[in-house]
Amino acid sequence: MIDKNHASFPNHSPVLSFSDFTFRYRAQKEPTLHDINLTVNKGEKILILGQSGSGKSTLIHCINGIIPHAFKGESSGVLMLSGKDSKNLDIFEISKMAGTVLQDTDGQFVGLSAAEDIAFALENDCVPADEIRRRAADTALLVDMTAHLEKSPHDLSGGQKQRISIAGVLVDDVEILIFDEPLANLDPAAGKDTMELIDDLHKQTGKTIIIVEHRLEDVLHRSLDRIIVMEKGRIISNTPPERLIASSILSETGIREPLYITALKYAGIKMEENMLPHHLDSILCDYSRLAEWDNQLIINDEIQKFNNEHIGNVNENTALDVRNIRFRYDEQGEDALKDISFSVANGECIGLVGRNGSGKSTLAKCVCGFIKQDSGDLFFNGQNIDNLSIMQRAEKIGYVMQNPNQMISFPMIFDETAFGLRTRGAGEAEVKSSVHEALEICGLYPFRNWPVSALSYGQKKRLTIASILVLRPSFMILDEPTAGQDYRHYTEFMEFLIALNRKLGLSLVLITHDMHLMLEYTTRAVVLSQGQLVADDEPFKILTNDEIINKANLKRTSLYELALNAGLKDARGFVERYIRHDREKRMEKERK
């Protein structure tokens, strides 16, 4: 049996290789990939890391044939797939070698049922019906989805959707399996299950696995042979996980290291490759140094400090009061929300967390008026808002969707920002003044006359916030504000939001699966599970409570695991002390 903390044993037959490979998109002046030299052996399991724009997606598009068959451009050098020059292969031939599981699984479904979706590739190949049924059933068993074959893919949970997508690729018996940000839309427990599933498939099938993902700590839950780090279209590191963690490459490239590694570094423990730092259960270090550092935090009385200047400009007045809210989508179904009650103070920043399908988005829709609760009341600044229209609520409460492209209606940045004010009938002088002010706050003023298409994904998210800020709400709900963003953009965006919270007193509710975000940037978290409120407490208390974690499909923070492994007397308190220390460090950096 292969230990989960150790690499697999691939053979040394190359399944793909890049030799001096360069690619430039047709619409660009400069290449996106520069001089790529990379060999992946049959049966290897590798992770590709890098900031947004580093070339990760372009690299995998070259492997799966999207480049050059869908995205045109010029290339030089050689890309070999299973011993064949990719230039001589059409997209159909490549699809039999490399299959991709997309980040957005909904965009990958084509069948009316899970079984149809798995069988789709076989039907296209005119495989006999009996063989289709056999192979689809065998593949469903491999991903543990036999009991769900008759369901519509859209009725499945996020994790189940991903399993069906994986089965739809596996059924064609491809040699290379590519996972494009498989954790981006999953709750913590489902993400953990996904990494275990990928690892199990790797061991059972011997397929070559390539994962592209920002969440390094979560991917390291299971073994990897190598980690490829990209920056500005070049491969700058190609090394085993333990060597990468011990190096300075992650910090130099703005990639987030595992949280427990940061804690050990704060304690003055230098990372070495032979310490096996790539997995929390394998790391070999002097835990007495960690205990000494924790004791120093207590001596410095940091546990008593709480810097309201950084997170939360809270006063005692209640902004949003949710009282006994119930809602169901149809008369025969179960309640999607079951007697939910909590409040948010003016200037508070809270997390709204829980498993996929727990009711988080449904609750946000009730608050914004997109749907009407069956019973219960909603109060905002002491006023019952049950009878207010969506437009009236939007004057008080802003809602930012996860995907900014679903909120943008106009081709030009100024017009997009001005839309709400113009809908209200504001004069152009007021529109111009307010739009410029909102764009200034969001760091987009220099681009005020640019087309939206010129903005990056992160800038588009800021634009959606500007289009709401221009209406001067005092409360904002953001759905997965950092999903799919690399650590640098994640940090910039969250610091931007917290600055709005601090300077404008803007109340924030962050719907998120990101437990790091919850720990670092919120002072409270409301936890839902199956439509019920199961916790309303400080984040560090939630992520160190196994009962709540199991109910809501969350995951223990690695800080807590580290404290337990180190035998610290107050493991839960250690998490709190670390978070406060880390916030102070970030504030010091911001002041500089």
Side-chain angles (χ1 to χ4, degrees):
M1 183 174 180
I2 300 174
D3 187 276
K4 71 175 184 178
N5 299 334
H6 292 82
S8 58
F9 300 94
N11 67 44
H12 294 284
S13 172
V15 70
L16 73 90
S17 64
F18 291 87
S19 300
D20 300 320
F21 188 87
T22 295
F23 176 78
R24 178 181 65 83
Y25 287 101
R26 179 181 289 174
Q28 293 182 337
K29 291 183 179 180
E30 297 296 325
T32 298
L33 298 179
H34 300 265
D35 301 319
I36 301 297
N37 287 284
L38 172 66
T39 297
V40 178
N41 293 318
K42 185 175 182 179
E44 273 196 295
K45 183 181 174 195
I46 70 171
L47 169 66
I48 301 178
L49 276 179
Q51 291 188 2
S52 298
S54 63
K56 305 185 304 297
S57 295
T58 300
L59 188 73
I60 64 172
H61 286 158
C62 291
I63 297 170
N64 63 22
I66 298 297
I67 293 174
H69 297 287
F71 299 157
K72 303 296 183 181
E74 295 181 1
S75 65
S76 62
V78 178
L79 166 57
M80 302 292 289
L81 289 170
S82 297
K84 299 178 181 179
D85 191 330
S86 64
K87 291 179 181 177
N88 300 326
L89 301 173
D90 59 34
I91 188 70
F92 178 78
E93 291 172 308
I94 294 174
S95 73
K96 298 300 179 183
M97 301 176 181
T100 305
V101 179
L102 301 176
Q103 174 183 342
D104 178 12
T105 51
D106 286 336
Q108 196 156 357
F109 292 136
V110 292
L112 296 178
S113 69
E116 287 183 19
D117 210 83
I118 294 173
F120 180 72
L122 302 179
E123 291 173 342
N124 279 346
D125 292 343
C126 299
V127 174
D130 288 345
E131 186 178 348
I132 288 178
R133 282 190 286 270
R134 179 184 60 78
R135 287 171 62 178
D138 289 347
T139 309
L141 183 63
L142 198 61
V143 297
D144 194 24
M145 286 296 291
T146 303
H148 304 281
L149 291 178
E150 300 306 314
K151 293 182 180 178
S152 164
H154 302 289
D155 290 335
L156 301 173
S157 70
Q160 290 170 337
K161 287 179 180 180
Q162 195 157 64
R163 287 172 181 258
I164 292 299
S165 294
I166 293 170
V169 174
L170 270 177
V171 76
D172 220 10
D173 199 29
V174 295
E175 178 57 46
I176 303 168
L177 275 174
I178 301 170
F179 293 87
D180 188 4
E181 296 200 33
L183 307 181
N185 299 311
L186 299 180
D187 63 55
K192 181 179 177 181
D193 289 344
T194 293
M195 294 317 304
E196 292 174 355
L197 172 64
I198 292 173
D199 193 54
D200 290 342
L201 290 174
H202 180 233
K203 292 171 182 175
Q204 293 174 39
T205 67
K207 303 291 186 187
T208 303
I209 305 287
I210 299 175
I211 303 168
V212 177
E213 182 56 65
H214 292 301
R215 289 160 59 175
L216 174 59
E217 181 178 318
D218 293 326
V219 176
L220 288 175
H221 174 62
R222 285 292 185 260
S223 67
L224 294 168
D225 291 297
R226 286 184 289 154
I227 298 179
I228 312 299
V229 181
M230 298 190 68
E231 185 176 48
K232 297 180 180 178
R234 301 178 188 274
I235 293 176
I236 63 169
S237 178
N238 179 356
T239 189
E242 60 271 25
R243 190 174 303 163
L244 177 67
I245 296 295
S247 74
S248 59
I249 291 172
L250 295 179
S251 59
E252 289 171 356
T253 53
I255 298 170
R256 178 172 209 144
E257 65 189 6
L259 210 52
Y260 66 89
I261 294 292
T262 307
L264 291 171
K265 288 182 177 179
Y266 276 149
I269 299 172
K270 188 177 185 299
M271 293 297 107
E272 303 285 353
E273 182 181 346
N274 60 7
M275 293 168 58
L276 305 178
H278 59 298
H279 197 282
L280 188 55
D281 290 341
S282 69
I283 191 167
L284 306 170
C285 69
D286 183 2
Y287 281 130
S288 65
R289 299 274 298 277
L290 186 70
E292 289 171 6
W293 178 65
D294 187 37
N295 287 334
Q296 190 61 49
L297 292 182
I298 298 172
I299 292 170
N300 292 342
D301 203 28
E302 285 201 24
I303 195 170
Q304 301 300 324
K305 294 179 182 178
F306 186 74
N307 199 320
N308 285 324
E309 178 189 355
H310 179 60
I311 295 188
N313 183 13
V314 184
N315 63 45
E316 294 181 356
N317 297 325
T318 298
L320 176 68
D321 194 5
V322 177
R323 301 183 186 177
N324 308 115
I325 295 297
R326 285 184 172 271
F327 177 82
R328 68 171 56 178
Y329 283 99
D330 58 71
E331 293 183 1
Q332 284 73 39
E334 289 189 24
D335 286 347
L337 297 174
K338 305 171 184 177
D339 202 29
I340 303 294
S341 297
F342 68 95
S343 62
V344 183
N346 275 305
E348 195 172 13
C349 176
I350 76 163
L352 181 57
V353 302
R355 70 178 72 215
N356 293 97
S358 63
K360 304 184 299 296
S361 295
T362 300
L363 179 59
K365 290 174 183 176
C366 285
V367 171
C368 295
F370 303 151
I371 56 178
K372 171 71 173 175
Q373 70 268 21
D374 296 319
S375 63
D377 297 294
L378 294 165
F379 289 82
F380 190 80
N381 288 335
Q383 175 192 3
N384 191 310
I385 60 171
D386 288 342
N387 295 321
L388 296 186
S389 66
I390 293 175
M391 178 177 286
Q392 289 170 319
R393 295 192 198 194
E395 295 176 0
K396 308 172 186 294
I397 302 169
Y399 180 70
V400 179
M401 299 173 71
Q402 177 178 338
N403 185 347
N405 295 314
Q406 293 177 345
M407 293 184 66
I408 294 171
S409 306
F410 292 86
M412 302 302 293
I413 290 171
F414 185 95
D415 293 334
E416 178 63 32
T417 314
F419 176 61
L421 285 176
R422 286 172 172 165
T423 301
R424 290 183 181 178
E428 281 305 302
E430 179 188 350
V431 167
K432 184 176 181 179
S433 173
S434 297
V435 166
H436 284 181
E437 181 183 3
L439 292 176
E440 184 72 47
I441 291 171
C442 295
L444 296 174
Y445 180 76
F447 315 117
R448 59 196 178 279
N449 297 318
W450 285 29
V452 173
S453 59
L455 297 181
S456 68
Y457 186 84
Q459 288 172 324
K460 286 180 181 179
K461 296 198 84 148
R462 291 187 180 218
L463 176 60
T464 60
I465 292 177
S467 66
I468 290 173
L469 282 181
V470 77
L471 303 175
R472 302 187 185 280
S474 59
F475 195 100
M476 194 175 290
I477 301 171
L478 297 101
D479 193 353
E480 294 290 355
T482 59
Q485 296 194 57
D486 62 56
Y487 184 50
R488 179 172 67 85
H489 290 96
Y490 162 106
T491 303
E492 287 178 356
F493 189 73
M494 286 309 305
E495 293 297 336
F496 160 70
L497 283 180
I498 294 304
L500 294 180
N501 170 247
R502 185 172 66 244
K503 295 173 184 177
L504 304 181
L506 187 66
S507 304
L508 298 173
V509 174
L510 309 178
I511 303 174
T512 184
H513 289 314
D514 189 335
M515 299 297 97
H516 288 173
L517 182 153
M518 185 177 87
L519 274 174
E520 293 176 327
Y521 292 103
T522 70
T523 55
R524 238 179 79 225
V526 172
V527 185
L528 300 184
S529 178
Q530 297 179 323
Q532 295 180 311
L533 191 149
V534 296
D536 181 353
D537 210 335
E538 292 177 82
F540 80 91
K541 292 180 180 177
I542 289 169
L543 295 184
T544 56
N545 185 316
D546 288 339
E547 182 180 354
I548 295 171
I549 287 169
N550 292 333
K551 278 184 180 178
N553 264 33
L554 306 180
K555 186 165 71 82
R556 269 187 184 180
T557 171
S558 63
L559 294 170
Y560 187 51
E561 300 276 7
L562 176 66
L564 292 174
N565 289 354
L568 299 185
K569 292 181 180 179
D570 182 14
R572 173 179 278 193
F574 169 78
V575 178
E576 181 184 22
R577 289 186 287 276
Y578 169 88
I579 293 301
R580 290 179 177 172
H581 177 81
D582 187 60
R583 286 175 182 169
E584 181 60 34
K585 289 296 182 184
R586 283 190 279 114
M587 285 182 61
E588 289 176 5
K589 186 177 180 181
E590 184 182 340
R591 286 193 290 265
K592 291 177 183 179

